[in-house]
């Protein structure tokens, strides 16, 4: 689940994971991501710039990820769309 609340982009995962953001492209290198999201293992947050599109990638404790990216987020409207 991804949503925008109180100036923060929030990502909730269904298992322990770490999440990152990139403005560059959907298939970014997780280890060199622009922004690692803060938070605990299930809820992650970042403070994005307004009027920008971000790509979100999460990976579990075994380094499994959803592929190229999990979501493309348009912060201006706070609506997420699948890549």
């Amino acid at each position: 689940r991804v949503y925008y609340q109180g100036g923060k982009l929030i990502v909730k995962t269904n298992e322990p994971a770490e999440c990152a953001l990139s403005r560059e492209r959907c298939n970014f290198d997780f280890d060199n991501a622009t922004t690692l999201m803060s938070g605990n293992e299930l809820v992650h947050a970042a403070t994005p710039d307004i009027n920008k599109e971000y790509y979100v990638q999460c990976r579990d404790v075994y380094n499994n990820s959803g592929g190229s990216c999990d979501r493309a987020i348009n912060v201006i409207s706070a609506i997420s769309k699948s890549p």
Side-chain angles (χ1 to χ4, degrees):
R1 181 174 175 205
V2 179
Y3 57 95
Y4 186 76
Q5 179 179 10
K8 298 231 182 248
L9 182 64
I10 309 294
V11 175
K12 289 187 175 182
T13 55
N14 62 355
E15 64 180 311
E18 58 183 345
C19 297
L21 295 177
S22 175
R23 295 231 19 256
E24 301 299 315
R25 60 187 185 278
C26 194
N27 60 344
F28 64 92
D29 178 15
F30 190 96
D31 293 319
N32 294 314
T34 305
T35 305
L36 285 177
M37 300 182 79
S38 65
N40 65 29
E41 296 179 332
L42 300 176
V43 180
H44 315 274
T47 305
D49 293 330
I50 302 298
N51 300 325
K52 306 288 184 195
E53 184 169 59
Y54 289 87
Y55 302 99
V56 179
Q57 215 182 104
C58 297
R59 66 181 180 189
D60 67 15
V61 296
Y62 303 106
N63 286 334
N64 296 318
S65 68
S68 60
C69 70
D70 297 313
R71 293 271 190 221
I73 309 296
N74 183 342
V75 176
I76 189 170
S77 63
I79 295 173
S80 67
K81 58 185 178 184
S82 295

